[in-house]
Amino acid sequence: MEKQEEDLSVSVLWLQVWGLAGLQGAIALTWLIYSVYLPKLLEESYFPAPVSSALLVVGNGLAVVLEPLMGGLSDRDKQQFGSRFPLIAAGIVLASTLFIAIPTVVVFGKGVGEFRWVSIVVSVAWTLAMIIFHSPAISLLRNYAPLEGLVLANSLLVLVAGLLTAFRPVAHNLVLNLDTIFAFAIGSFSLLGAAAILRYVNLPETLARANLTVRAAIEHKSTDNPPLKSALSLIFLSGMAIAWGTQFLTVTLSKMLMLRLEINNVDWLMVGVGIMLALAAPPTADWTLRLDNRRAICIGAIATAILLQIAVFIPSWLTLILAILGLLVTFNLVLNGAIPFVLMLVAPHQAGIGVGMYFGGIAGAESLSGLLLPPEQSVIPSVGAIGGAIAFLCLAACVRVSGRWRI
């Protein structure tokens, strides 16, 4: 088994995966800055507070449709022109420009009457620009590793994104201490820089090797694949389940730490938990190789659901600590395997639409959460634990249904 893992690690194009992880980190950073600053910027433009929440819901709603569409367009470009980079490059340049334009419009448009509505238009346009390249970029992972090595490669993306999103609980204070234009400039240039690095490591000779990897995968791929509609439906539902499960898991752990410590603010503790989760991603990927990805996701999802119940319904410091330690493994089995599961369900030339449907499911869940679910602050631990369990069990069911086809 160790020899097999070593062979898989060697076959992964790690330089390209690191480049893609850098872009993933830049995407996470810009969304973090945007979500923190949006309420403040809209307030400066004299919009009521609910408008910022409405904009996030609208953005997620657009992503439900446009993520699969952009992924599908990148699949077409890949077949016609041999590369997804034209669409990715266009989206990143547009998103970087619009991102720095958001605070600029607000700062220079103060007190100019109806000009304040331009800030809304620019914000929505930036969201659309981010959607243009998101799915096409992440689907590049399919070129950088054989099917069996996708979990190893994806664990690096989970690590980088996890380290950045771990700071979400304290991001409000950290980011707002920066000058507005400076903060948005950091996000804008991080996108451009990450894109330039990713393009640099995808020189013609490395792309040729990546294409050989894909062709080899096609030659060895079983012909017993799920119909595209069935695959996309399972992918969409899996994305929704992971999004809801993650939301409930986060709020449940936060509330349980508050109860155990008898304090109202555990933001930095949650940052620590998030960092530990991120750092545990690469080691957990090795375990997935021993289990098989679909089996690992099912085990991880069911175990995560059980650990949530233990943390809440057997209340003690011991059970809470054991549950958190267990989640470092079980939740990462889910996160590490999610994108590889998507890429295994669809053919290599349909990777873009597959990844787009997954992100569309996540966006759909977040959009519905903003409309239907109560605010996170009002969710009690028992409701969070049960809601999370339902979501993770639904994920396990989707993965189990996919077992009808050999992948």
Side-chain angles (χ1 to χ4, degrees), residues 243-294:
W244 274 331
T246 301
Q247 289 177 11
F248 280 121
L249 182 150
T250 303
V251 71
T252 301
L253 290 183
S254 177
K255 289 298 179 67
M256 290 308 299
L257 286 171
M258 288 181 188
L259 289 174
R260 295 274 72 82
L261 292 170
E262 298 182 352
I263 57 177
N264 293 324
N265 191 324
V266 292
D267 288 345
W268 280 105
L269 271 177
M270 290 303 296
V271 171
V273 171
I275 291 174
M276 288 193 298
L277 278 170
L279 293 176
T284 309
D286 291 333
W287 295 7
T288 300
L289 293 178
R290 301 170 187 270
L291 292 172
D292 172 75
N293 189 40
R294 284 192 295 194

Side-chain angles (χ1 to χ4, degrees), residues 68 71-72 75 79 221 223-237 342-358 405:
D75 288 336
Q79 294 183 61
K221 188 174 175 65
T223 56
D224 187 14
N225 300 319
L228 184 59
K229 289 184 179 179
S230 300
L232 295 181
S233 298
L234 289 173
I235 289 169
F236 186 84
L237 292 174
V342 170
L343 295 174
M344 289 174 181
L345 272 183
V346 295
H349 65 278
Q350 297 167 332
I353 192 172
V355 173
M357 190 63 73
Y358 172 72
W405 297 278

Side-chain angles (χ1 to χ4, degrees), residues 297-313:
I297 295 176
C298 285
I299 292 173
I302 294 171
T304 298
I306 293 172
L307 288 170
L308 277 176
Q309 311 314 303
I310 292 174
V312 172
F313 295 106

